[in-house]
Amino acid sequence: MQELNFPSYSFRFKNSENKVSIFDEIRKKFITLTPEEWVRQHVVQFLMHEKNYPKSLINVEKVLHVNGLRKRYDIVLFNPNGTIFALVECKAPHITISQATFDQIAQYNMTLQSQFLMVTNGLKHYYCTMDFENEKYDFLKMLPDYSSTFLNNSK
């Protein structure tokens, strides 16, 4: 698989019937390794190891309903109180991040009402907050760390 713009992480792989799978720590099972899954697994590791989010607050690949259609989000980070903190959209490295990508995550976010958004193809990462009132994105340099966001607010 292609090297991505993330730190190096250790992954568990298995090969069966000429298909390579990667172990997903969140779903607790092996998932067929596609270019998008490679990015998703790096993001999960990044959130846990670099941003210090507990595994218990990370959710991967769940169905949501948007305008009566069944869609799947890639990754959601929850606040300790169960509300959604961040929504992550992962694309394969060969997919260019475009306005359509932001439109997709914004559409999902109209249902989920996440505070932060992350869009990545593993090579380029974009972080933003949604300004719901003015219907626009405010771009950030990085997602906040778990400790700076939640531990400081609980004092």
Side-chain angles (χ1 to χ4, degrees):
M1 280 282 149
Q2 180 175 353
E3 191 171 316
L4 302 177
N5 187 13
F6 285 105
S8 183
Y9 300 111
S10 294
F11 294 103
R12 289 174 43 203
F13 300 97
K14 91 175 175 185
N15 195 340
S16 65
E17 299 175 15
N18 294 325
K19 284 192 178 178
V20 176
S21 297
I22 188 168
F23 188 76
D24 182 323
E25 285 187 52
I26 306 303
R27 292 178 273 185
K28 295 180 174 56
K29 64 181 181 178
F30 281 93
I31 306 295
T32 300
L33 184 58
T34 63
E36 183 177 321
E37 191 62 43
W38 183 236
V39 172
R40 188 169 20 257
Q41 292 306 314
H42 275 79
V43 172
V44 167
Q45 295 300 311
F46 169 78
L47 293 171
M48 290 189 307
H49 296 287
E50 313 320 315
K51 300 312 228 164
N52 299 312
Y53 285 92
K55 202 185 303 189
S56 61
L57 296 180
I58 302 172
N59 198 279
V60 177
E61 283 251 295
K62 294 286 188 206
V63 171
L64 77 144
H65 296 277
V66 179
N67 298 328
L69 301 172
R70 284 172 50 96
K71 302 287 186 179
R72 273 189 182 277
Y73 63 71
D74 285 311
I75 301 170
V76 161
L77 278 175
F78 289 97
N79 288 302
N81 69 6
T83 60
I84 295 176
F85 175 72
L87 175 61
V88 182
E89 179 63 27
C90 301
K91 297 294 185 191
H94 69 275
I95 303 293
T96 302
I97 304 296
S98 65
Q99 183 62 49
T101 312
F102 282 97
D103 291 346
Q104 177 185 0
I105 197 170
Q107 185 179 42
Y108 291 1
N109 203 36
M110 295 309 278
T111 299
L112 297 173
Q113 298 288 300
S114 173
Q115 188 176 352
F116 292 92
L117 304 177
M118 175 181 177
V119 177
T120 182
N121 64 3
L123 304 173
K124 292 191 176 186
H125 318 302
Y126 300 93
Y127 311 95
C128 54
T129 59
M130 280 292 292
D131 179 346
F132 290 101
E133 201 172 296
N134 298 308
E135 296 184 357
K136 68 181 184 86
Y137 316 106
D138 290 322
F139 284 88
L140 308 168
K141 288 186 194 288
M142 180 59 70
L143 280 179
D145 291 352
Y146 178 76
S147 58
S148 66
T149 302
F150 299 107
L151 301 182
N152 293 336
N153 291 339
S154 63
K155 294 179 181 174

